[in-house]
Amino acid sequence: MIFQFDSEGKVQPRLGRHITGRDLDPVREMQLSHNVIDEVVRTQQAQVIDDFGKRMGTGAPWQSVITMRLSWALCVPLIPGAGSAHAMRGALYLDSTAKPKQRLQDFLDMLQSLGQAVALAVENEALYERLSKEKSRLTAIAKLSLAINSAADLDELLRAGLDVILAEVNSHKGF
């Protein structure tokens, strides 16, 4: 499961999958995830949980563990690059009902590398969006500049300027 921060700074599920390829319902199937995710977000440190019996107790936050019979969970922060000054982008979370086939620490090391790659992809996506908006804004300014330079009188200038603005904001009319 991949979690990202929304515009208000709250961590939200972006993608959740079961090993069968089935998408996961974030409300019904990710109760435990939010507890572990919150800890990773708070500390910005990876979490390995393989002692549910000791941690669970009978409290409601762990009810999904009892229901799903989880054996272990791993969660890593999405931070692009070791020692990076970049902000945390979210978290990558895995859990399983099966006993691990290898040491969880070895798996955690791999997951942290994957988390860095995912964080870079998320950062690149955000950068692409910002640059696309900036390109659109600069293109509109250039078109408006051309319209200003080619206008013979004020009416023509206003008409040309309004045409550029209407095209850029995808509007049908303007006054």
Side-chain angles (χ1 to χ4, degrees):
M1 295 173 219
I2 298 174
F3 292 80
Q4 281 186 276
F5 293 108
D6 64 14
S7 60
E8 297 172 6
K10 295 179 183 175
V11 69
Q12 298 292 329
R14 175 159 181 186
L15 176 68
R17 287 281 175 125
H18 187 269
I19 195 167
T20 62
R22 177 180 63 83
D23 287 338
L24 295 175
D25 177 348
V27 174
R28 192 174 50 85
E29 296 175 292
M30 294 165 68
Q31 294 93 347
L32 168 68
S33 303
H34 287 291
N35 296 331
V36 177
I37 297 296
D38 289 346
E39 182 67 13
V40 169
V41 168
R42 188 179 65 74
T43 65
Q44 294 195 9
Q45 298 292 317
Q47 294 290 309
V48 178
I49 301 176
D50 60 356
D51 59 350
F52 286 117
K54 293 177 186 172
R55 291 186 185 222
M56 283 192 317
T58 57
W62 300 101
Q63 187 60 42
S64 62
V65 175
I66 297 166
T67 304
M68 298 184 323
R69 301 179 195 276
L70 293 179
S71 173
W72 57 267
L74 298 174
C75 187
V76 298
L78 297 181
I79 300 174
S84 174
H86 298 285
M88 184 172 152
R89 298 291 186 179
L92 181 58
Y93 170 91
L94 296 172
D95 66 24
S96 179
T97 57
K99 295 290 182 200
K101 293 181 180 179
Q102 63 189 60
R103 284 183 344 122
L104 283 178
Q105 187 59 46
D106 294 339
F107 196 58
L108 180 66
D109 294 342
M110 181 194 68
L111 192 62
Q112 286 178 312
S113 295
L114 180 61
Q116 288 176 358
V118 170
L120 284 172
V122 169
E123 194 169 273
N124 286 341
E125 177 186 39
L127 178 61
Y128 178 81
E129 289 298 318
R130 281 194 309 274
L131 290 176
S132 292
K133 287 178 184 176
E134 183 66 12
K135 178 185 174 213
S136 178
R137 188 181 74 79
L138 291 174
T139 299
I141 290 171
K143 287 179 183 176
L144 193 54
S145 177
L146 287 172
I148 289 170
N149 289 331
S150 64
D153 62 20
L154 181 59
D155 286 342
E156 186 180 335
L157 170 64
L158 293 174
R159 226 177 277 109
L162 191 56
D163 287 345
V164 169
I165 292 168
L166 290 173
E168 287 305 311
V169 297
N170 198 23
S171 183
H172 298 294
K173 58 185 171 184
F175 300 93

